[in-house]
Amino acid sequence: MSFSNSASFLCLLAFSLLARTVLGADPLFHFCSTPENFTANGPYEFNLNKLTGYLYYQTPPKGFGKGSIGQYPDQTYGLALCRGDASSSDCKTCVVDAGSEIRKRCPDNKAAIIWYDNCLFKYSNDGFFGQIDNTNKFYMWNVNSVSEPATFNAKTKELLTQLANKVRATPKLYATGEMVLGESTKLYGLVQCTRDLSSAVCKKCIDGIIGELPSCCDGKEGGRVVSGSCNFRYEIYPFVNA
């Protein structure tokens, strides 16, 4: 896959699908989201440490957790989300890894976010619950291109739009589906939102990133648009039609 920060349209790296599988435990991306720093061993760091421990405990059973600790100006808000099909044990492992790793990468920042294949972990000194986060966003795409991009792009958009309509009725704000493209190929899709969003706002978020398909993954065999509030992924794979 290749990576891009959609804010700067900077292509960072290219990986094959095999490499992504091997490196699945590594973070996909992260942002230190604010230039504001906290004082080491001060009240903000105390609240952030407490919130991090709370999210470690709250998130794995249901795949999502959010909370806020402290009072202004040292109040911190945070959430963690696991992929909808992740087990509780995989969810816990991912959230613990994410919470630890983001503090290494953004050691003094008051706001930061990190994504793994199985989860995301986010915190900020500003209240963000219920709001679409379009600031923290990145793209990934398969380096291989399809033979008929216009037709494939239309099919990809069709599948993801179906899932956007489906996801708003699911408790986890998570939906998957597939579409047969030919005698030996299927298209797989996944959409998910953080559960601080309402179902209507979730759909709005996903509709928005679907609109970024041409910028992200035009004619590519697989791709993702990942924001701080929602994401989609798609990929094609072979199958035997019995």
Side-chain angles (χ1 to χ4, degrees), residues 87-103:
S87 67
S88 293
S89 60
D90 287 344
C91 179
K92 180 178 181 180
T93 298
C94 189
V95 170
V96 171
D97 288 347
S100 173
E101 187 64 24
I102 193 59
R103 297 293 295 277

Side-chain angles (χ1 to χ4, degrees), residues 94-117:
C94 189
V95 170
V96 171
D97 288 347
S100 173
E101 187 64 24
I102 193 59
R103 297 293 295 277
K104 296 175 185 175
R105 298 184 179 217
C106 307
D108 302 316
N109 292 86
K110 285 190 173 183
I113 184 170
I114 191 167
W115 295 266
Y116 285 69
D117 202 43

Side-chain angles (χ1 to χ4, degrees), residues 21-171:
T21 301
V22 173
L23 298 175
D26 292 340
L28 301 178
F29 213 86
H30 80 280
F31 290 106
C32 304
S33 307
T34 177
E36 292 185 65
N37 293 332
F38 58 80
T39 303
N41 301 315
Y44 188 87
E45 183 175 22
F46 175 83
N47 290 336
L48 180 57
N49 290 342
K50 192 172 181 180
L51 176 63
T52 299
Y54 173 74
L55 292 176
Y56 289 170
Y57 172 79
Q58 190 193 41
T59 305
K62 295 184 178 180
F64 177 72
K66 69 181 179 75
S68 175
I69 292 179
Q71 301 294 325
Y72 180 84
D74 298 308
Q75 189 168 8
T76 182
Y77 305 81
L79 64 76
L81 174 73
C82 290
R83 202 173 67 196
D85 60 352
S87 67
S88 293
S89 60
D90 287 344
C91 179
K92 180 178 181 180
T93 298
C94 189
V95 170
V96 171
D97 288 347
S100 173
E101 187 64 24
I102 193 59
R103 297 293 295 277
K104 296 175 185 175
R105 298 184 179 217
C106 307
D108 302 316
N109 292 86
K110 285 190 173 183
I113 184 170
I114 191 167
W115 295 266
Y116 285 69
D117 202 43
N118 273 342
C119 70
L120 75 82
F121 192 97
K122 176 183 178 180
Y123 58 85
S124 176
N125 58 319
D126 292 322
F128 60 84
F129 299 148
Q131 303 171 26
I132 295 175
D133 177 4
N134 280 319
T135 302
N136 300 302
K137 185 187 297 178
F138 67 98
Y139 299 160
M140 299 175 65
W141 60 90
N142 190 306
V143 296
N144 298 317
S145 298
V146 298
S147 58
E148 298 180 13
T151 301
F152 179 76
N153 290 345
K155 290 294 186 182
T156 300
K157 183 176 181 180
E158 179 184 349
L159 175 60
L160 293 174
T161 300
Q162 290 173 1
L163 295 178
N165 291 324
K166 177 182 176 182
V167 74
R168 62 189 302 173
T170 64

